Amino acid sequence: MKHISFKNSVDYLNKLRGVFYILVGIPLTIFLVLYLIFRQHAFTAYYATMSALLIKILAGTFLIAGLSSFIFYFKKLPAARNGSSLRNKLEQYYHICITKFSWLMVVSLLNLTFYFLTSHAFFAGVYILLLIMFALNNPSYYNVVGNLKLKKEEREIMKNNSTIN
């Protein structure tokens, strides 16, 4: 596992949030551009006649794939909670979160590809649900402390922005 460099909780959260905002921002920008293009009727979709059943199956698949990132996250979280030190716990949590965020971004991009190809509003709706999944994962002090179930001493280190060894 690759080590990340951080000195304190603020530094750690800034790194985690930075990656989060990049990974949520890429598909969001693409969605906004596509939405505006389709709203102005300036573009004709390549597969505008795709069957409704296929659209629903694909959209459902994207939702399930998005939800699978949470399954991965909750399977890996106990290992991070059992880390040997606060730094180890935070590093493991960082990698788990980055994997979850990356998976949500990939699923969002695949969904947006089908939105581009079909211009079907169903894919726009699925993207909005994926965006909500992203929003529920916005990293914060309380999320990190609560999800890792840190001990009192570790919570104090995080809260007081002390050096993390």
Side-chain angles (χ1 to χ4, degrees):
M1 177 176 6
K2 184 180 174 190
H3 293 284
I4 58 169
S5 88
F6 58 93
K7 296 175 185 167
N8 51 42
S9 61
V10 170
D11 189 27
Y12 173 79
L13 286 170
N14 286 340
K15 287 182 187 291
L16 188 58
R17 282 185 191 129
V19 174
F20 173 80
Y21 291 138
I22 289 169
L23 295 179
V24 78
I26 292 169
L28 181 60
T29 304
I30 293 169
F31 173 74
L32 290 174
V33 169
L34 289 175
Y35 179 77
L36 292 173
I37 288 171
F38 289 139
R39 188 167 180 210
Q40 303 228 340
H41 305 290
F43 180 79
T44 305
Y46 294 107
Y47 298 106
T49 59
M50 186 179 279
S51 78
L53 178 63
L54 183 58
I55 288 172
K56 289 175 184 174
I57 290 170
L58 287 169
T61 302
F62 294 135
L63 279 177
I64 291 169
L67 290 172
S68 71
S69 69
F70 288 91
I71 294 169
F72 164 82
Y73 171 79
F74 286 113
K75 277 187 164 184
K76 296 292 184 178
L77 193 57
R81 288 179 181 151
N82 295 328
S84 58
S85 66
L86 177 58
R87 176 169 288 280
N88 182 266
K89 290 176 184 179
L90 292 174
E91 285 178 349
Q92 287 185 50
Y93 186 75
Y94 180 88
H95 292 294
I96 292 167
C97 286
I98 297 305
T99 303
K100 177 174 60 170
F101 301 154
S102 299
W103 184 246
L104 280 169
M105 183 192 77
V106 167
V107 171
S108 294
L109 290 174
L110 287 171
N111 180 68
L112 289 173
T113 301
F114 280 92
Y115 181 50
F116 171 72
L117 293 173
T118 66
S119 75
H120 200 280
F122 215 69
F123 289 114
V126 169
Y127 175 71
I128 298 299
L129 292 175
L130 291 168
L131 188 61
I132 291 169
M133 286 183 206
F134 255 123
L136 293 173
N137 291 288
N138 190 359
S140 70
Y141 162 80
Y142 298 104
N143 289 357
V144 173
V145 169
N147 291 337
L148 287 176
K149 296 182 181 178
L150 296 178
K151 299 174 191 166
K152 184 176 181 179
E153 310 85 48
E154 295 170 330
R155 285 193 310 264
E156 288 300 317
I157 291 171
M158 293 287 289
K159 184 178 179 182
N160 296 326
N161 200 29
S162 302
T163 303
I164 299 173
N165 299 322

